[in-house]
Amino acid sequence: MSNLEQTLSIIKPDAVERNLENEIKEMFKNKGFNIVKEKKIQIEKAEAEKFYKVHETKPFYNDLCAYLSSGPIVVMVIEKENAVLANRDLMGATNPKDAADGTIRKKYGISIDKNSVHGSDSIDNAKIEIDFFFKD
Ligand code: CMP
């Protein structure tokens, strides 16, 4: 049965800064993702705080929000069958040290903070995160 889904992907400041945008997009396309919307933006810290609100009690919350707002990012709506899970597989583990070969974070991630990409962790959060960046 067809189960076409959309999820949100962010190419984070460390990857944009190293000009990895096109290489990372190629990795998505090679896995069969269609990039249906995209924009390059820089967000305010207050917006990052809203975006990462689920993490507000975590010790790394402040640094995380400062980091996401520290430079340009590319936000994309990507689509394929079972996109939420497929994107998490392609990104690899949150900490690049633990990421499997062939994943984006293994290839490009620098540290748990500078891990190059963000992806929605569930279908419900994908809808919320897509609306966050693309609701007109
Ligand atoms: P991301 O998928 O964007 O979601 C939250 C981010 O917090 C995560 O990627 C990491 O870059 C960052 N982070 C920093 N420290 C931690 C930690 N100890 N555990 C999980 N995520 C962390």
Side-chain angles (χ1 to χ4, degrees), residues 1-66:
M1 205 180 75
S2 162
N3 189 31
L4 199 62
E5 285 174 7
Q6 293 188 340
T7 188
L8 186 88
S9 171
I10 302 178
I11 304 178
K12 294 187 179 184
D14 64 275
V16 175
E17 187 176 76
R18 286 176 289 151
N19 289 315
L20 296 172
E21 179 182 338
N22 288 336
E23 285 169 59
I24 290 174
K25 282 184 194 163
E26 278 307 304
M27 287 182 79
F28 284 116
K29 289 178 198 162
N30 289 339
K31 280 281 173 190
F33 284 94
N34 190 15
I35 300 170
V36 295
K37 288 183 190 168
E38 63 173 285
K39 58 184 178 184
K40 189 187 268 186
I41 54 174
Q42 182 161 358
I43 61 173
E44 300 288 336
K45 187 165 180 235
E47 283 179 273
E49 286 167 355
K50 256 198 242 169
F51 180 74
Y52 276 134
K53 195 157 175 51
V54 294
H55 295 301
E56 73 182 329
T57 59
K58 310 270 173 62
F60 55 83
Y61 178 64
N62 185 58
D63 286 350
L64 173 64
C65 297

Side-chain angles (χ1 to χ4, degrees), residues 12 52 55 60 64 94 105 112-113 115 117-119:
K12 294 187 179 184
Y52 276 134
H55 295 301
F60 55 83
L64 173 64
T94 306
R105 286 168 170 162
I112 195 163
D113 303 297
N115 62 357
V117 280
H118 167 83

Side-chain angles (χ1 to χ4, degrees), residues 51-131:
F51 180 74
Y52 276 134
K53 195 157 175 51
V54 294
H55 295 301
E56 73 182 329
T57 59
K58 310 270 173 62
F60 55 83
Y61 178 64
N62 185 58
D63 286 350
L64 173 64
C65 297
Y67 170 62
L68 194 72
S69 55
S70 67
I73 57 175
V74 178
V75 289
M76 302 179 287
V77 177
I78 57 174
E79 183 177 80
K80 81 171 238 166
E81 301 279 305
N82 303 309
V84 173
L85 262 181
N87 181 36
R88 295 185 69 73
D89 282 349
L90 179 57
M91 286 193 299
T94 306
N95 191 337
K97 273 195 246 163
D98 303 326
D101 284 346
T103 62
I104 296 172
R105 286 168 170 162
K106 170 77 175 190
K107 196 161 182 202
Y108 299 119
I110 296 169
S111 65
I112 195 163
D113 303 297
K114 298 187 172 181
N115 62 357
S116 301
V117 280
H118 167 83
S120 311
D121 65 1
S122 66
I123 294 174
D124 286 349
N125 280 338
K127 292 195 178 89
I128 292 167
E129 293 185 354
I130 289 169
D131 271 1

